[in-house]
Amino acid sequence: TKGDILRHDLYEQAKQDLQNKAYDLGYVDAAYTVHTIRLILGESAADVDLVLQTGRRYSFGEVTFTGTTAFPDEFLRRYLAFKTGDVFSYKLLAKTHSNFVNTDRFREVRVNPRRDAVTEGRIPVEISLIPAPPKSVKFGLGYSTDMGPRASIHYKDLNVARWGHEFQTELKVSPIIQGIASRYVFPSGVDIDSHTALTLSVQREDTDTYTTRLIKLEAARAHSFGAGRIGSLFVQMQAENSEAGDQST
């Protein structure tokens, strides 16, 4: 600002920030036609002249997916941080790339704005995806003084019947506790934070003094309201049976 000490690093940073702001507003051709510093030696001052030509304002065009047919198109569009017609922004492209990368479903993601195919100010976007193996199995072994030896098997499928649905189940076994828990997730077509999930778990605990059996069923619905706000609603039912000596509940 006027009156501040002239520092070249702050000058260059301010220039870049202003240009980046123009990019975020859709002016991706924005460039400086004038950027000069004129020193006024007699006054120990300097005048800064900047002229930023923004050019045309662009918006997002159609989105196409390549490299995979394993997932439905509607499912893939949940990961987009923009819609066709929104003001073009490299930040939204980066957010879209992050959305795809942060899921375990793809091992390679490329988001390419097709500047060479602009039509009426709209930039089409091509997203290339290489899927990761959808199914995985993990085994676990351990020992603790409370439970003794224990083992577990965890199975996950991130693309059930090629619908993009998620199923996972885990079996845990030890001399004291044995149980299995399964979860099925129905993704919403709205965005990546909205879904419906069903969970079923069965557990048996057997000690020297008591035995308990627990069955739990839960249905949950999560819905995104934007800006990082997520609301959830769930219903849970459970049945428990306990035996201690001659008493049973």
Side-chain angles (χ1 to χ4, degrees):
T1 58
K2 185 176 182 180
D4 287 348
I5 295 175
L6 177 63
R7 286 177 47 183
H8 190 73
D9 59 333
L10 296 181
Y11 164 74
E12 291 295 337
Q13 184 62 54
K15 278 177 54 185
Q16 189 61 58
D17 289 346
L18 182 60
Q19 193 169 23
N20 289 342
K21 183 63 176 178
Y23 291 159
D24 291 339
L25 294 174
Y27 300 102
V28 296
D29 293 329
Y32 287 100
T33 56
V34 176
H35 49 97
T36 60
I37 299 176
R38 292 183 293 105
L39 298 179
I40 307 173
L41 299 179
E43 301 178 12
S44 299
D47 286 340
V48 176
D49 295 325
L50 293 175
V51 177
L52 180 65
Q53 291 288 351
T54 60
R56 182 170 188 169
R57 193 181 198 188
Y58 292 90
S59 59
F60 284 104
E62 294 297 324
V63 178
T64 56
F65 297 98
T66 64
T68 179
T69 57
F71 295 90
D73 189 76
E74 180 184 1
F75 174 81
L76 296 176
R77 292 185 182 277
R78 301 166 63 248
Y79 294 92
L80 300 179
F82 59 88
K83 299 186 294 294
T84 297
D86 287 350
V87 172
F88 185 87
S89 167
Y90 284 110
K91 281 187 177 180
L92 294 180
L93 285 180
K95 175 61 176 173
T96 296
H97 183 270
S98 177
N99 287 345
F100 280 105
V101 168
N102 289 338
T103 178
D104 295 330
R105 292 176 165 90
F106 308 99
R107 62 182 177 87
E108 185 175 319
V109 179
R110 293 182 182 178
V111 180
N112 179 31
R114 295 290 308 278
R115 293 288 306 277
D116 59 327
V118 174
T119 303
E120 297 181 351
R122 294 195 170 193
I123 302 176
V125 177
E126 182 181 273
I127 300 178
S128 176
L129 302 168
I130 298 180
K135 299 179 177 62
S136 63
V137 180
K138 294 182 179 179
F139 300 90
L141 294 173
Y143 181 87
S144 69
T145 55
D146 295 334
M147 301 292 179
R150 62 182 185 271
S152 65
I153 302 176
H154 184 267
Y155 170 80
K156 180 187 288 187
D157 185 348
L158 294 176
N159 192 17
V160 178
R162 299 171 71 92
W163 296 332
H165 294 190
E166 176 183 336
F167 173 74
Q168 55 181 310
T169 186
E170 184 172 27
L171 173 67
K172 295 182 177 181
V173 178
S174 73
I176 296 178
I177 296 179
Q178 306 87 42
I180 184 170
S182 300
R183 187 170 189 258
Y184 194 98
V185 180
F186 303 85
S188 167
V190 178
D191 53 45
I192 58 176
D193 294 319
S194 301
H195 63 267
T196 300
L198 298 176
T199 304
L200 174 65
S201 62
V202 179
Q203 179 177 291
R204 181 178 186 272
E205 183 176 359
D206 191 1
T207 69
D208 294 335
T209 57
Y210 66 86
T211 299
T212 63
R213 300 174 182 84
L214 177 65
I215 300 176
K216 185 184 296 184
L217 176 64
E218 179 180 291
R221 169 66 178 173
H223 183 78
S224 172
F225 295 96
R229 297 173 299 171
I230 301 175
S232 61
L233 177 68
F234 70 91
V235 177
Q236 186 181 93
M237 296 179 291
Q238 69 177 44
E240 183 174 1
N241 175 262
S242 299
E243 297 178 0
D246 296 333
Q247 295 184 358
S248 177
T249 60

